[in-house]
Amino acid sequence: MKKLLLLLVACITGISAIAQQVSYSRLQIEPESPRAGNTITINYQPESTSFKKQAILIAAIYYSIGKRMEASELQLKKNKTNWTGNFQLPDSAVAFFVKIVAGKETDNNDKKGYAFFVMDESGQPIKPSYSGMWNFYRGEGRWVGFDADEKKADFYFNKYYEQGLPKDASFNETISYYQQKKDSTALINYLADLPSDPNIKEDDLFQAPFFADRFGNKPLGKLLTAFLKLKYPDGSWKVRELYPKFNTKKTATEKAAMLDSFKNSIKGEPQEWQKNVITNIESN
């Protein structure tokens, strides 16, 4: 029983530690609780013999900013005890990830990355930092040489959504939320309710049938497509349908006939996107 209690305490401690700033034996940052816009110092003590022979090492730094990642490089210069360098954390960064490069060799912490939160005034991770960590560990990090980690991704997802899905969540955020929760029923119900949303965007409606089909409800996908065309009769969905059909036409006569049909379908003065379609097709 005593061993079981000790194991439980260890597990709880390990999980709670993930929510604090992470520390590493080979790579440290100063300040340890960086805020957006801070100047940060990296101190690195390599274990590899080939790394230790280098006068200069390169730190590749990846910033989580919104839904994307941005990158920069920093030279780490050798001093008496380690390799060090300074960089400024972008104002919009919510988390950042580091790997060290020496020629063709890389120290990426066994493909886990050296990952760091951006902190608030109290020294706690800012809420968007959990989202940045979630995106990184669910697969975004693969693009820059780091492995996905489902356990960490789930943990950071749940930290970010401790209060549930926000009422003002976008279409893409809502879809990602239900996908991560593996709640296909809630996702299908959300899609089915889209026609009753007066603020639904055309781009969101265009994507909705794809997700309905993907999660096993093709009839709903067809209904959503029909609703899209009813709500936006001259919407940009026509472009997305037109180009694939146009590219199947083999002769100039067939293509010209299809372009004429498109022109004749326009009621009144052409919208900007319609003018662009005509220009693009005629130029090709």
Side-chain angles (χ1 to χ4, degrees), residues 143-191:
W143 297 102
V144 289
F146 302 112
D147 284 344
D149 187 320
E150 186 175 349
K151 183 178 179 181
K152 286 184 178 180
D154 285 343
F155 176 81
Y156 290 127
F157 169 85
N158 289 320
K159 286 293 293 181
Y160 182 69
Y161 287 108
E162 278 183 327
Q163 306 301 318
L165 185 67
K167 291 182 179 179
D168 61 349
S170 68
F171 173 85
N172 288 325
E173 182 179 7
T174 303
I175 294 296
S176 294
Y177 177 83
Y178 290 130
Q179 284 182 308
Q180 184 71 25
K181 299 282 280 186
K182 298 180 175 62
D183 192 342
S184 58
T185 300
L187 190 150
I188 290 296
N189 288 338
Y190 168 72
L191 294 175

Side-chain angles (χ1 to χ4, degrees), residues 129-150:
S129 203
Y130 294 121
S131 177
M133 291 286 190
W134 166 44
N135 285 320
F136 179 80
Y137 283 114
R138 71 171 175 161
E140 194 175 58
R142 287 196 184 109
W143 297 102
V144 289
F146 302 112
D147 284 344
D149 187 320
E150 186 175 349

